[in-house]
Amino acid sequence: MEIIVCVKQVPDTTEVKIDPVTNTLIRQGVPSIVNPFDKNAVEAALQLKDKHGGKVTVISMGPPQAKDALKECLAMGADAAILVSDRAFGGADTLATSYTLAAAIRKLGNYDIIFCGKQAIDGDTAQVGPEVAEHLGIAQLTYVANMLVEKDTLRVEREHEDGYEIINAKFPILISVIKSLAYEPRFPSVRGTMKANRTEIPVWTATELDVEEQKLGLKGSPTQVRKIFTPPQRTQGVTIQKDTAREAVAVLMKKLSEAKIV
């Protein structure tokens, strides 16, 4: 079974900084981690390989430092890793990112399942996975909490607001995974970490992919950020002190009425 996992290296959410000119994330010098949902996706892929055999390849689009995220996935047990990195990819929104990742997946060749985390914690859009599936023209199942492979059929448990759906699907397919006890990420082994540190991760640039330049990076990103600002801090509430509860309620209702809340 050929399995691909799309992962992203994201800034530590307590250290996010924004470029005031381009309105994009500043990643240089900012502590980075593997997107937590993507680690669940890696675990799902590894469990599938453990049961049915095959190969797990992790792929990421990002700056050179994203190799650290890929090496962590290799240390967990992934078999191979690819970094898609080029200045031409800089500033990409979800559409340009998914277009580039889909091109890299086509270059990789055959696959049965593509795994993604349900969303990245820096953007929280949950768009890249489904968009990759659309670019590739394959089926997709999102918010998957658990799954079972029976011969050539995939049975998944998909979470939604009111409970779970049980859905059967055929390969090839893209799966986006939520955080669940079924796919709690394993810890990298010492041997796996040592092997990952010795592994040379190939880097694919724009010239090595079958892509149209105008669809990459900022040029290929129809999403425009008009304004970024820090919300004002909440002020403390007003204390009402009266002799009786009736008097306090009367004052409170007056203030709510003046604020046009009631």
Side-chain angles (χ1 to χ4, degrees):
M1 182 171 288
E2 294 295 326
I3 307 167
I4 297 172
V5 188
C6 297
V7 302
K8 184 180 183 182
Q9 187 184 55
V10 296
D12 190 317
T13 52
T14 62
E15 298 287 344
V16 169
K17 298 177 183 178
I18 303 294
D19 187 321
V21 177
T22 63
N23 286 328
T24 58
L25 290 172
I26 298 174
R27 300 184 184 274
Q28 289 75 19
V30 179
S32 297
I33 58 174
V34 179
N35 181 50
F37 291 108
D38 295 346
K39 292 183 75 172
N40 290 102
V42 172
E43 178 61 32
L46 293 175
Q47 287 188 23
L48 197 60
K49 186 187 80 167
D50 292 343
K51 292 179 181 178
H52 302 280
K55 179 181 179 181
V56 174
T57 301
V58 289
I59 184 168
S60 182
M61 188 186 94
Q65 70 188 51
K67 284 185 177 182
D68 294 337
L70 291 172
K71 288 191 175 185
E72 184 173 346
C73 297
L74 290 173
M76 289 175 65
D79 300 291
I82 304 290
L83 176 62
V84 182
S85 184
D86 194 308
R87 287 190 177 274
F89 305 144
D93 67 358
T94 59
L95 184 63
T97 298
S98 60
Y99 173 75
T100 306
L101 286 172
I105 290 170
R106 288 193 191 96
K107 180 178 172 67
L108 276 172
N110 294 330
Y111 54 85
D112 297 295
I113 300 182
I114 301 169
F115 283 102
C116 302
K118 76 162 185 174
Q119 65 195 60
I121 61 172
D122 56 352
D124 285 332
T125 64
Q127 293 173 353
V128 171
E131 287 176 353
V132 168
E134 287 297 314
H135 286 303
L136 294 172
I138 62 174
Q140 56 177 287
L141 285 171
T142 57
Y143 298 94
V144 172
N146 206 347
M147 63 182 180
L148 176 67
V149 173
E150 297 176 338
K151 296 182 180 180
D152 61 343
T153 300
L154 181 68
R155 175 172 292 185
V156 306
E157 189 177 278
R158 182 178 182 272
E159 183 184 62
H160 61 85
E161 292 180 354
D162 299 322
Y164 294 90
E165 296 174 325
I166 305 299
I167 301 175
N168 290 339
K170 298 289 186 179
F171 304 116
I173 193 167
L174 183 141
I175 301 287
S176 71
V177 180
I178 65 171
K179 285 186 177 181
S180 70
L181 293 177
Y183 300 124
E184 188 69 24
R186 66 191 66 184
F187 290 103
S189 66
V190 174
R191 179 177 296 180
T193 300
M194 293 175 64
K195 182 179 178 181
N197 289 335
R198 295 193 302 267
T199 301
E200 285 295 325
I201 296 177
V203 179
W204 292 352
T205 62
T207 58
E208 296 172 88
L209 301 177
D210 183 12
V211 291
E212 299 176 37
E213 185 180 351
Q214 67 271 21
K215 293 184 179 181
L216 305 175
L218 281 173
K219 291 181 181 179
S221 301
T223 306
Q224 295 184 355
V225 180
R226 305 253 335 192
K227 183 179 180 181
I228 292 178
F229 62 94
T230 302
Q233 292 185 346
R234 292 184 178 181
T235 58
Q236 293 184 346
V238 178
T239 302
I240 299 174
Q241 293 183 337
K242 292 294 178 181
D243 293 334
T244 66
R246 184 180 295 275
E247 292 175 340
V249 169
V251 173
L252 174 61
M253 292 303 295
K254 182 180 178 181
K255 290 184 177 293
L256 291 174
S257 179
E258 290 173 348
K260 297 182 178 180
I261 296 175
V262 295

